Amino acid sequence: MSLDRVRGVNELLPEDRQGEVMELKSMLPTFESRKLYLESYGCAMNYSDSEIVASILAGVGFTTTNDPKQADVILLNTCAIRDNAESRIWARLHDFKAAKKTNPGLIVGVLGCMAERLKSELLEKQKIVDIVAGPDAYRDLPNLIERVEGGQKAVNVLLSREETYADISPVRLDSNGVSAFISIMRGCDNMCSFCVVPFTRGRERSRDPHSIVEEVKMMSDQGYKEVTLLGQNVDSYKWGTDTSPKIHFAELLEKVAAVDKNIRVRFSTSHPKDMSDDVIYVMAAHENICNYIHLPIQSGSSVVLERMNRGYTREWYMQRVESIRKIIPGCGISSDIITGFCGETEEDHQETLSLMKWARYDFSYMFKYSERPGTFAERKYKDDVAEEIKGRRLQEVIQQQAISSHESNKADLNTIQKVLVEGISKRSENHVSGRSDHNKVVVFPRGNFVKGDLVDVLITGCTPATLLGEATINS
Ligand code: 5AD
Ligand code: SF4
């Protein structure tokens, strides 16, 4: 283990606790020159967790590889949010089971949201993996790997009320060196009736703000230009004891924005029931906080929202959007939408379409409802919207979003957008691609621009999904 690694870990802790990490590390097994292959599925939080896993295993000697054939240990960080996510992962696990035939020493493990739900299926019934580790058990991975090497199966799916991995300095995987995710909390207490996350990721807990600010400082020192603060519901971020002042998300955002004015700050996900005007005012007051909010509506019908246990009505949601647009004119807004939730009528669906028209989202993630075992909806409601109807409604929602996205892009024509360059465009070597303040992809001629440059770009054209432009200054 390199000393730098230990130093990196220690820096995130308050001074009086910095010795603890050294003591803990000396008790772990070591795996010098062993190779780890990590594959991640699902949300940004999972990708961020994989960086924590890589850090924990780097601490005991592992190096990461992008080639599963080179790996001694293969870990899949899984997603259980919809049935089709799980099916893809099962198929991948069968590939790796086949690979074990030619490489009997290969260790395969499942991490993340499928771990808790499917531990006995994975380990005992299908005997498809050696390790199953839930989202709060990653510190235990070195021990679990050691146990497998000793000939046993290894499982830890205990959920914690405290674990935030606050002291772990993530190893940035697949990083462009420009933007990074930073987890500020874990778990979820909202219990939306369709959602499996509160069961797979456990109770909500917030991470020590000191360690978050220190991580942002580290990113700044390493030359990063953008951080995205992650939580299932960032608006319920809370830190403090009875004797120290409480810090809510608005204050945390302010602290993060103050670290380095040249670092852009984004965050996700906001919850309409909890998003306060305080947060919007902090965004408005800080040039380096991006004017973009991901504010999932899920359904435009108050009756469906009630059944989803979302904690707000259509009218409340509209009032939140009006507040954003009043305080930050032109703020980018995106959404998540589910079609065909239990009991959704044609009228409810029309309300979703009309809400979308009204909200003029820049972007949406859209899904057919997928029943998840153990959720309130699975236990109490009937999944009674036929598959073809769910599909047809999803197509209508996608079409409505395509219209709004195109309108939103056309409204940007002839404006100047500040674009953070992320790299060479996938479509053309002669162009670079980056994101605007509103999180839109912008492509423009490469010139001498390199990733990490913040460039004023005049928007001269667009497609429904992308803005095209020209830099207003020479590189
Ligand atoms: N079926 C379909 N979509 C779902 N989501 C969460 N659970 C389900 C489900 N059971 C969607 C929601 C959420 C996003 C991350 O995934 O829209 O905001
Ligand atoms: Fe799931 Fe709702 Fe929590 Fe989001 S807020 S993770 S949809 S329970």
Side-chain angles (χ1 to χ4, degrees), residues 287-367:
E287 181 104 29
N288 60 328
I289 304 179
C290 290
N291 289 325
Y292 166 70
I293 301 185
H294 183 57
L295 192 70
I297 175 96
Q298 312 295 1
S299 165
S301 152
S302 293
V303 179
V304 175
L305 288 170
E306 168 82 35
R307 222 176 289 132
M308 287 177 161
N309 194 32
R310 286 288 290 175
Y312 55 85
T313 58
R314 174 186 172 99
E315 290 69 31
W316 171 275
Y317 183 91
M318 291 167 86
Q319 188 267 331
R320 293 288 71 218
V321 170
E322 275 168 358
S323 223
I324 295 168
R325 296 220 159 113
K326 197 168 98 209
I327 300 168
I328 310 176
C331 185
I333 304 181
S334 59
S335 191
D336 290 349
I337 292 159
I338 298 177
T339 65
F341 184 61
C342 311
E344 184 189 74
T345 62
E346 207 51 41
E347 218 175 18
D348 294 323
H349 170 59
Q350 290 303 326
E351 286 204 73
T352 298
L353 290 172
S354 75
L355 188 284
M356 290 177 77
K357 253 185 221 163
W358 176 86
R360 294 176 278 116
Y361 293 121
D362 299 286
F363 185 80
S364 289
Y365 297 94
M366 298 155 282
F367 316 101

Coordinates of all heavy atoms in Angstrom, one line a residue, residues 287-367:
E287 N -22.0 32.1 -8.8 CA -21.7 32.0 -10.2 C -21.3 30.5 -10.6 O -21.7 30.0 -11.6 CB -20.6 32.9 -10.6 CG -20.3 33.0 -12.1 CD -20.8 34.2 -12.8 OE1 -21.0 35.2 -12.1 OE2 -21.1 34.0 -14.0
N288 N -20.5 29.9 -9.7 CA -20.0 28.6 -10.0 C -20.9 27.4 -9.7 O -20.6 26.2 -9.9 CB -18.6 28.3 -9.4 CG -18.6 28.4 -7.9 OD1 -19.4 29.2 -7.3 ND2 -17.7 27.7 -7.3
I289 N -22.2 27.7 -9.1 CA -23.1 26.6 -9.0 C -24.0 26.6 -10.3 O -24.6 27.7 -10.6 CB -24.0 26.8 -7.8 CG1 -23.2 26.9 -6.5 CG2 -25.0 25.7 -7.6 CD1 -24.0 27.2 -5.2
C290 N -24.0 25.5 -11.0 CA -24.7 25.4 -12.3 C -26.2 25.7 -12.1 O -26.8 25.2 -11.1 CB -24.4 24.1 -12.9 SG -22.7 24.0 -13.5
N291 N -26.8 26.4 -13.1 CA -28.2 26.7 -13.1 C -29.0 25.5 -13.7 O -29.5 25.6 -14.8 CB -28.5 28.0 -13.8 CG -27.9 29.2 -13.0 OD1 -28.0 29.2 -11.8 ND2 -27.4 30.2 -13.7
Y292 N -29.0 24.4 -13.0 CA -29.7 23.2 -13.5 C -30.1 22.4 -12.3 O -29.4 22.2 -11.3 CB -28.6 22.4 -14.3 CG -29.1 21.0 -14.6 CD1 -30.1 20.8 -15.5 CD2 -28.5 20.0 -14.0 CE1 -30.5 19.5 -15.8 CE2 -28.9 18.7 -14.3 CZ -29.9 18.4 -15.2 OH -30.3 17.2 -15.5
I293 N -31.4 22.0 -12.4 CA -31.9 21.2 -11.3 C -32.6 19.9 -11.8 O -33.5 20.0 -12.7 CB -33.0 22.0 -10.4 CG1 -32.3 23.2 -9.8 CG2 -33.6 21.1 -9.3 CD1 -33.2 24.0 -8.9
H294 N -32.3 18.8 -11.3 CA -33.0 17.5 -11.7 C -34.1 17.3 -10.6 O -33.8 17.0 -9.4 CB -32.0 16.4 -11.7 CG -32.7 15.1 -12.1 ND1 -33.3 15.0 -13.3 CD2 -32.8 13.9 -11.5 CE1 -33.8 13.8 -13.5 NE2 -33.5 13.1 -12.4
L295 N -35.3 17.5 -11.0 CA -36.5 17.6 -10.1 C -37.5 16.6 -10.6 O -38.5 17.0 -11.2 CB -37.0 19.0 -10.0 CG -38.0 19.3 -8.9 CD1 -37.3 19.4 -7.6 CD2 -38.7 20.7 -9.2
P296 N -37.4 15.3 -10.2 CA -38.3 14.3 -10.8 C -39.8 14.5 -10.4 O -40.0 14.6 -9.2 CB -37.8 13.0 -10.2 CG -36.4 13.2 -9.9 CD -36.3 14.7 -9.4
I297 N -40.7 14.5 -11.4 CA -42.1 14.6 -11.0 C -42.7 13.2 -10.8 O -43.6 13.0 -10.0 CB -42.9 15.4 -12.1 CG1 -44.4 15.4 -11.9 CG2 -42.7 14.9 -13.5 CD1 -44.9 16.5 -11.2
Q298 N -42.3 12.2 -11.6 CA -42.8 10.8 -11.7 C -44.1 10.7 -12.3 O -44.3 9.9 -13.2 CB -42.8 10.1 -10.3 CG -41.6 10.3 -9.4 CD -40.3 9.6 -10.0 OE1 -40.4 9.0 -11.0 NE2 -39.2 9.7 -9.3
S299 N -45.1 11.5 -11.9 CA -46.4 11.5 -12.6 C -47.0 12.9 -12.5 O -46.8 13.6 -11.5 CB -47.4 10.5 -11.9 OG -48.7 10.7 -12.4
G300 N -47.9 13.3 -13.5 CA -48.5 14.6 -13.4 C -49.9 14.6 -12.7 O -50.5 15.6 -12.6
S301 N -50.3 13.4 -12.3 CA -51.6 13.3 -11.7 C -51.4 13.2 -10.1 O -50.7 12.3 -9.6 CB -52.3 12.0 -12.2 OG -53.2 11.5 -11.2
S302 N -52.2 14.1 -9.4 CA -52.1 14.1 -8.0 C -52.6 12.8 -7.3 O -52.1 12.3 -6.3 CB -52.9 15.2 -7.4 OG -52.3 16.4 -7.7
V303 N -53.5 12.1 -8.0 CA -54.0 10.8 -7.5 C -52.9 9.8 -7.5 O -52.7 9.0 -6.6 CB -55.3 10.4 -8.3 CG1 -55.8 9.0 -7.8 CG2 -56.3 11.4 -8.3
V304 N -52.2 9.7 -8.7 CA -51.1 8.8 -8.8 C -50.0 9.1 -7.8 O -49.4 8.2 -7.2 CB -50.6 8.7 -10.3 CG1 -49.4 7.8 -10.4 CG2 -51.8 8.2 -11.2
L305 N -49.7 10.4 -7.7 CA -48.6 10.8 -6.8 C -48.9 10.4 -5.4 O -48.0 10.0 -4.7 CB -48.4 12.4 -6.9 CG -47.8 12.9 -8.2 CD1 -47.9 14.4 -8.2 CD2 -46.3 12.4 -8.3
E306 N -50.2 10.5 -5.0 CA -50.6 10.0 -3.7 C -50.3 8.5 -3.5 O -49.7 8.1 -2.5 CB -52.1 10.4 -3.5 CG -52.8 9.7 -2.3 CD -52.5 10.5 -1.1 OE1 -52.5 11.8 -1.2 OE2 -52.4 9.9 0.0
R307 N -50.7 7.8 -4.5 CA -50.5 6.3 -4.5 C -49.0 6.0 -4.5 O -48.5 5.0 -3.9 CB -51.2 5.7 -5.7 CG -51.9 4.4 -5.3 CD -52.7 3.8 -6.5 NE -53.8 4.6 -6.9 CZ -54.1 5.0 -8.1 NH1 -53.4 4.6 -9.1 NH2 -55.2 5.7 -8.4
M308 N -48.2 6.8 -5.2 CA -46.8 6.6 -5.2 C -46.1 7.1 -3.9 O -44.9 6.9 -3.7 CB -46.1 7.5 -6.3 CG -46.4 6.9 -7.7 SD -45.7 8.1 -8.9 CE -45.6 7.1 -10.4
N309 N -46.9 7.7 -3.0 CA -46.4 8.2 -1.7 C -45.2 9.2 -1.9 O -44.2 9.2 -1.2 CB -45.9 7.0 -0.8 CG -45.7 7.5 0.6 OD1 -46.4 8.4 1.1 ND2 -44.7 6.9 1.3
R310 N -45.4 10.1 -2.9 CA -44.4 11.1 -3.2 C -44.4 12.3 -2.3 O -43.4 13.0 -2.2 CB -44.5 11.5 -4.7 CG -44.0 10.5 -5.7 CD -42.5 10.3 -5.7 NE -41.8 11.4 -6.2 CZ -40.5 11.5 -6.3 NH1 -39.8 10.5 -5.8 NH2 -39.9 12.5 -6.8
G311 N -45.5 12.5 -1.6 CA -45.5 13.6 -0.6 C -45.7 15.0 -1.2 O -45.5 16.0 -0.5
Y312 N -46.2 15.1 -2.4 CA -46.6 16.4 -3.0 C -47.7 16.1 -4.0 O -47.9 15.0 -4.4 CB -45.4 17.1 -3.7 CG -44.7 16.2 -4.7 CD1 -45.1 16.2 -6.0 CD2 -43.6 15.5 -4.4 CE1 -44.5 15.4 -7.0 CE2 -42.9 14.7 -5.3 CZ -43.4 14.7 -6.6 OH -42.8 13.9 -7.6
T313 N -48.3 17.2 -4.4 CA -49.3 17.2 -5.4 C -48.8 17.8 -6.7 O -47.7 18.5 -6.7 CB -50.6 18.0 -5.0 OG1 -50.1 19.4 -4.8 CG2 -51.2 17.4 -3.8
R314 N -49.6 17.7 -7.8 CA -49.2 18.4 -9.1 C -49.1 19.9 -8.8 O -48.1 20.5 -9.3 CB -50.4 18.1 -10.0 CG -50.3 18.8 -11.4 CD -51.6 18.6 -12.1 NE -51.6 19.3 -13.4 CZ -51.3 18.9 -14.6 NH1 -51.0 17.7 -14.7 NH2 -51.4 19.7 -15.6
E315 N -50.0 20.5 -8.0 CA -50.0 21.9 -7.8 C -48.7 22.3 -7.0 O -48.1 23.3 -7.3 CB -51.2 22.4 -7.1 CG -52.5 22.3 -7.9 CD -53.0 20.9 -8.2 OE1 -52.7 20.0 -7.3 OE2 -53.6 20.6 -9.2
W316 N -48.4 21.6 -6.0 CA -47.2 21.9 -5.2 C -45.9 21.8 -6.1 O -45.1 22.7 -6.1 CB -47.0 20.8 -4.1 CG -45.7 20.9 -3.4 CD1 -44.5 20.3 -3.7 CD2 -45.4 21.6 -2.2 NE1 -43.5 20.6 -2.8 CE2 -44.1 21.4 -1.9 CE3 -46.2 22.4 -1.3 CZ2 -43.4 22.0 -0.7 CZ3 -45.6 23.0 -0.2 CH2 -44.2 22.7 0.1
Y317 N -45.9 20.8 -7.0 CA -44.7 20.7 -7.9 C -44.6 21.9 -8.8 O -43.6 22.5 -9.0 CB -44.9 19.4 -8.7 CG -43.7 19.1 -9.6 CD1 -42.6 18.4 -9.2 CD2 -43.6 19.7 -10.9 CE1 -41.5 18.2 -10.0 CE2 -42.5 19.5 -11.7 CZ -41.5 18.8 -11.3 OH -40.4 18.6 -12.1
M318 N -45.8 22.3 -9.4 CA -45.8 23.5 -10.3 C -45.3 24.7 -9.6 O -44.6 25.5 -10.1 CB -47.2 23.7 -10.9 CG -47.6 22.5 -11.8 SD -49.3 22.6 -12.3 CE -49.3 23.7 -13.6
Q319 N -45.7 24.8 -8.3 CA -45.3 26.0 -7.5 C -43.8 26.0 -7.3 O -43.1 27.0 -7.4 CB -46.1 26.0 -6.2 CG -45.9 27.2 -5.3 CD -44.8 27.0 -4.3 OE1 -44.5 25.8 -3.9 NE2 -44.1 28.0 -3.9
R320 N -43.2 24.8 -7.1 CA -41.7 24.6 -7.0 C -41.0 25.1 -8.3 O -40.0 25.8 -8.3 CB -41.3 23.2 -6.7 CG -41.7 22.6 -5.3 CD -40.9 23.2 -4.1 NE -41.3 24.6 -3.9 CZ -40.5 25.6 -3.6 NH1 -39.2 25.4 -3.4 NH2 -40.9 26.8 -3.4
V321 N -41.6 24.7 -9.4 CA -41.0 25.0 -10.7 C -41.1 26.6 -10.9 O -40.1 27.2 -11.4 CB -41.6 24.3 -11.9 CG1 -41.2 24.8 -13.2 CG2 -41.3 22.8 -11.8
E322 N -42.2 27.1 -10.5 CA -42.4 28.6 -10.7 C -41.4 29.3 -9.8 O -40.8 30.3 -10.2 CB -43.8 29.0 -10.3 CG -44.8 28.8 -11.5 CD -46.2 29.0 -11.1 OE1 -46.6 29.1 -9.9 OE2 -47.1 28.8 -12.0
S323 N -41.1 28.8 -8.6 CA -40.2 29.4 -7.7 C -38.8 29.4 -8.4 O -38.0 30.4 -8.3 CB -40.1 28.6 -6.4 OG -40.1 29.4 -5.3
I324 N -38.4 28.3 -8.9 CA -37.1 28.1 -9.6 C -37.0 29.2 -10.7 O -36.0 29.9 -10.8 CB -36.8 26.7 -10.2 CG1 -36.8 25.7 -9.1 CG2 -35.6 26.7 -11.0 CD1 -36.9 24.2 -9.6
R325 N -38.0 29.3 -11.5 CA -37.9 30.1 -12.7 C -38.0 31.6 -12.3 O -37.5 32.4 -13.0 CB -39.1 29.8 -13.7 CG -38.9 28.3 -14.2 CD -39.2 28.2 -15.7 NE -38.5 27.0 -16.2 CZ -39.2 25.9 -16.7 NH1 -40.5 25.9 -16.7 NH2 -38.5 24.9 -17.2
K326 N -38.6 31.9 -11.1 CA -38.7 33.3 -10.7 C -37.3 33.7 -10.2 O -36.8 34.8 -10.5 CB -39.7 33.4 -9.6 CG -40.1 34.9 -9.3 CD -41.3 35.0 -8.5 CE -40.9 35.3 -7.1 NZ -41.6 34.8 -6.0
I327 N -36.7 32.8 -9.4 CA -35.4 33.2 -8.7 C -34.2 33.1 -9.7 O -33.3 33.9 -9.7 CB -35.2 32.3 -7.4 CG1 -36.3 32.6 -6.5 CG2 -33.8 32.6 -6.8 CD1 -36.4 31.6 -5.3
I328 N -34.3 32.0 -10.6 CA -33.2 31.9 -11.6 C -33.9 31.8 -13.0 O -34.1 30.7 -13.5 CB -32.4 30.6 -11.3 CG1 -31.9 30.5 -9.9 CG2 -31.2 30.5 -12.3 CD1 -31.2 29.2 -9.5
P329 N -34.2 32.9 -13.6 CA -34.8 32.9 -14.9 C -34.0 32.0 -15.9 O -32.7 32.1 -15.9 CB -34.8 34.3 -15.4 CG -34.7 35.1 -14.1 CD -33.9 34.3 -13.2
G330 N -34.6 31.1 -16.6 CA -33.9 30.3 -17.6 C -33.2 29.1 -17.0 O -32.5 28.4 -17.7
C331 N -33.4 28.8 -15.7 CA -32.7 27.6 -15.1 C -33.1 26.3 -15.8 O -34.3 26.1 -16.1 CB -33.2 27.5 -13.6 SG -32.3 26.3 -12.7
G332 N -32.1 25.5 -16.1 CA -32.4 24.2 -16.7 C -33.1 23.3 -15.7 O -32.8 23.3 -14.5
I333 N -34.1 22.6 -16.2 CA -34.8 21.6 -15.3 C -35.0 20.3 -16.0 O -35.4 20.3 -17.2 CB -36.2 22.2 -14.8 CG1 -36.1 23.6 -14.2 CG2 -36.9 21.2 -13.9 CD1 -37.4 24.2 -13.7
S334 N -34.8 19.2 -15.3 CA -35.0 17.9 -15.9 C -35.8 17.1 -14.9 O -36.1 17.5 -13.8 CB -33.7 17.2 -16.3 OG -32.9 17.0 -15.1
S335 N -36.3 15.9 -15.4 CA -37.3 15.1 -14.6 C -37.1 13.6 -14.8 O -36.4 13.2 -15.8 CB -38.7 15.5 -15.0 OG -39.6 15.0 -14.1
D336 N -37.7 12.9 -13.9 CA -37.9 11.4 -14.1 C -39.4 11.2 -14.2 O -40.2 11.8 -13.5 CB -37.4 10.6 -12.9 CG -35.9 10.6 -12.8 OD1 -35.2 11.0 -13.7 OD2 -35.5 10.2 -11.7
I337 N -39.8 10.3 -15.1 CA -41.3 10.0 -15.3 C -41.5 8.5 -15.4 O -40.7 7.8 -16.1 CB -41.8 10.7 -16.6 CG1 -41.8 12.2 -16.3 CG2 -43.2 10.3 -17.0 CD1 -41.8 13.1 -17.5
I338 N -42.5 8.0 -14.7 CA -42.9 6.6 -14.8 C -44.2 6.5 -15.5 O -45.2 7.2 -15.1 CB -42.9 6.0 -13.4 CG1 -41.6 6.0 -12.7 CG2 -43.4 4.5 -13.5 CD1 -41.5 5.5 -11.3
T339 N -44.3 5.6 -16.5 CA -45.7 5.4 -17.1 C -46.2 4.1 -16.7 O -45.5 3.1 -16.4 CB -45.6 5.4 -18.7 OG1 -44.8 4.3 -19.1 CG2 -45.0 6.7 -19.2
G340 N -47.6 4.0 -16.5 CA -48.3 2.8 -16.2 C -48.1 2.3 -14.8 O -48.2 1.1 -14.5
F341 N -48.0 3.2 -13.8 CA -48.0 2.8 -12.4 C -49.4 2.3 -12.1 O -50.4 2.6 -12.7 CB -47.6 4.0 -11.5 CG -47.5 3.6 -10.1 CD1 -46.6 2.7 -9.7 CD2 -48.4 4.2 -9.1 CE1 -46.5 2.3 -8.3 CE2 -48.3 3.8 -7.8 CZ -47.3 2.9 -7.4
C342 N -49.4 1.5 -11.0 CA -50.7 0.8 -10.6 C -51.9 1.7 -10.6 O -51.8 2.8 -10.0 CB -50.5 0.2 -9.2 SG -49.0 -0.7 -9.0
G343 N -52.9 1.4 -11.3 CA -54.1 2.1 -11.3 C -54.1 3.4 -12.2 O -55.1 4.1 -12.2
E344 N -53.0 3.6 -12.9 CA -52.9 4.8 -13.8 C -54.0 4.8 -14.9 O -54.0 3.8 -15.7 CB -51.5 5.0 -14.4 CG -51.4 6.3 -15.2 CD -50.1 6.3 -16.0 OE1 -49.9 5.6 -17.0 OE2 -49.1 7.1 -15.5
T345 N -54.9 5.8 -15.0 CA -55.9 5.8 -16.0 C -55.4 6.6 -17.2 O -54.4 7.3 -17.1 CB -57.2 6.5 -15.5 OG1 -56.9 7.8 -15.1 CG2 -57.8 5.7 -14.3
E346 N -56.2 6.6 -18.3 CA -55.8 7.4 -19.5 C -55.8 8.9 -19.1 O -54.9 9.6 -19.5 CB -56.8 7.1 -20.6 CG -56.3 7.3 -22.0 CD -55.0 6.6 -22.3 OE1 -54.8 5.5 -21.9 OE2 -54.2 7.3 -23.0
E347 N -56.7 9.2 -18.2 CA -56.8 10.6 -17.7 C -55.6 11.0 -17.0 O -55.0 12.1 -17.2 CB -58.0 10.8 -16.8 CG -58.8 12.0 -17.0 CD -60.0 12.0 -16.1 OE1 -60.1 11.1 -15.1 OE2 -60.9 12.8 -16.4
D348 N -55.1 10.1 -16.1 CA -53.9 10.4 -15.3 C -52.7 10.6 -16.3 O -51.9 11.5 -16.1 CB -53.5 9.2 -14.4 CG -54.5 9.0 -13.3 OD1 -55.0 10.0 -12.7 OD2 -54.8 7.8 -13.0
H349 N -52.7 9.7 -17.3 CA -51.6 9.8 -18.3 C -51.6 11.1 -19.0 O -50.6 11.8 -19.2 CB -51.7 8.6 -19.2 CG -50.8 8.7 -20.4 ND1 -49.4 8.8 -20.3 CD2 -51.1 8.7 -21.8 CE1 -48.9 8.8 -21.6 NE2 -49.9 8.8 -22.4
Q350 N -52.8 11.6 -19.4 CA -53.0 12.9 -20.1 C -52.5 14.0 -19.2 O -51.9 15.0 -19.6 CB -54.4 13.2 -20.5 CG -54.9 12.3 -21.6 CD -54.1 12.4 -22.9 OE1 -53.5 13.4 -23.2 NE2 -53.9 11.2 -23.6
E351 N -52.7 13.8 -17.8 CA -52.2 14.9 -16.9 C -50.7 14.9 -16.9 O -50.1 16.0 -16.7 CB -52.7 14.6 -15.5 CG -54.2 14.9 -15.4 CD -54.6 15.2 -13.9 OE1 -54.2 16.3 -13.4 OE2 -55.2 14.3 -13.3
T352 N -50.0 13.7 -17.0 CA -48.6 13.7 -17.1 C -48.1 14.5 -18.4 O -47.2 15.3 -18.3 CB -48.0 12.3 -17.1 OG1 -48.4 11.7 -15.9 CG2 -46.5 12.2 -17.3
L353 N -48.8 14.2 -19.5 CA -48.4 14.9 -20.7 C -48.6 16.4 -20.6 O -47.7 17.2 -21.0 CB -49.2 14.3 -21.9 CG -48.8 12.9 -22.3 CD1 -49.8 12.4 -23.4 CD2 -47.4 12.8 -22.9
S354 N -49.7 16.8 -20.0 CA -50.0 18.3 -19.9 C -49.0 18.9 -19.0 O -48.5 20.0 -19.2 CB -51.4 18.5 -19.6 OG -51.6 18.3 -18.2
L355 N -48.6 18.2 -17.9 CA -47.6 18.8 -17.0 C -46.3 18.9 -17.7 O -45.6 19.9 -17.5 CB -47.5 17.8 -15.8 CG -46.7 18.2 -14.6 CD1 -45.2 18.1 -14.8 CD2 -47.0 19.6 -14.0
M356 N -45.9 17.9 -18.5 CA -44.6 18.0 -19.2 C -44.6 19.2 -20.2 O -43.6 19.9 -20.3 CB -44.4 16.7 -20.1 CG -44.1 15.5 -19.2 SD -43.9 14.0 -20.3 CE -42.3 14.3 -20.9
K357 N -45.8 19.4 -20.9 CA -45.9 20.5 -21.8 C -45.7 21.8 -21.0 O -45.0 22.7 -21.5 CB -47.3 20.5 -22.4 CG -47.3 20.1 -23.9 CD -48.7 20.3 -24.5 CE -49.0 19.1 -25.3 NZ -50.3 18.9 -25.6
W358 N -46.3 21.9 -19.9 CA -46.2 23.1 -19.0 C -44.8 23.3 -18.5 O -44.3 24.4 -18.6 CB -47.2 23.0 -17.9 CG -47.1 24.1 -16.9 CD1 -47.8 25.4 -17.0 CD2 -46.3 24.2 -15.8 NE1 -47.4 26.2 -16.0 CE2 -46.5 25.5 -15.2 CE3 -45.4 23.4 -15.1 CZ2 -45.9 26.0 -14.1 CZ3 -44.8 23.8 -14.0 CH2 -45.0 25.1 -13.5
A359 N -44.2 22.2 -18.1 CA -42.9 22.4 -17.4 C -41.7 22.7 -18.4 O -40.7 23.2 -18.1 CB -42.5 21.2 -16.6
R360 N -41.9 22.3 -19.7 CA -40.9 22.4 -20.7 C -39.6 21.9 -20.3 O -38.6 22.6 -20.3 CB -40.8 23.9 -21.1 CG -42.1 24.5 -21.8 CD -42.0 26.0 -22.1 NE -42.3 26.8 -20.9 CZ -41.4 27.6 -20.3 NH1 -40.2 27.7 -20.8 NH2 -41.7 28.3 -19.3
Y361 N -39.5 20.7 -19.8 CA -38.3 20.1 -19.3 C -37.2 20.1 -20.4 O -37.5 19.9 -21.6 CB -38.5 18.6 -18.9 CG -39.3 18.4 -17.7 CD1 -40.5 17.7 -17.8 CD2 -39.0 19.0 -16.5 CE1 -41.3 17.5 -16.7 CE2 -39.8 18.8 -15.4 CZ -41.0 18.1 -15.5 OH -41.7 17.9 -14.4
D362 N -36.0 20.4 -20.0 CA -34.9 20.3 -21.0 C -34.6 18.9 -21.3 O -34.0 18.5 -22.4 CB -33.6 21.0 -20.4 CG -33.9 22.4 -20.1 OD1 -33.9 23.2 -21.0 OD2 -34.1 22.8 -18.9
F363 N -34.8 18.0 -20.3 CA -34.4 16.6 -20.5 C -35.3 15.8 -19.5 O -35.7 16.3 -18.5 CB -32.9 16.5 -20.1 CG -32.4 15.1 -20.4 CD1 -32.0 14.7 -21.6 CD2 -32.2 14.2 -19.3 CE1 -31.5 13.5 -21.9 CE2 -31.7 13.0 -19.5 CZ -31.4 12.6 -20.8
S364 N -35.5 14.5 -19.8 CA -36.2 13.6 -18.8 C -35.6 12.2 -19.0 O -35.3 11.8 -20.1 CB -37.7 13.5 -19.1 OG -38.3 14.7 -18.7
Y365 N -35.6 11.5 -17.9 CA -35.4 10.0 -17.9 C -36.8 9.4 -17.8 O -37.5 9.7 -16.8 CB -34.5 9.6 -16.7 CG -33.2 10.1 -16.7 CD1 -32.9 11.3 -16.0 CD2 -32.1 9.5 -17.4 CE1 -31.6 11.8 -16.1 CE2 -30.8 10.0 -17.4 CZ -30.6 11.2 -16.7 OH -29.3 11.7 -16.8
M366 N -37.1 8.5 -18.7 CA -38.5 8.0 -18.7 C -38.6 6.5 -18.7 O -37.8 5.9 -19.4 CB -39.2 8.5 -20.0 CG -39.2 10.1 -20.0 SD -39.3 10.8 -21.7 CE -37.6 10.7 -22.2
F367 N -39.5 5.9 -17.9 CA -39.5 4.5 -17.7 C -40.9 4.0 -17.7 O -41.8 4.6 -17.2 CB -38.9 4.2 -16.3 CG -37.6 4.9 -16.0 CD1 -37.6 6.0 -15.1 CD2 -36.4 4.6 -16.5 CE1 -36.5 6.7 -14.8 CE2 -35.2 5.2 -16.2 CZ -35.3 6.3 -15.4

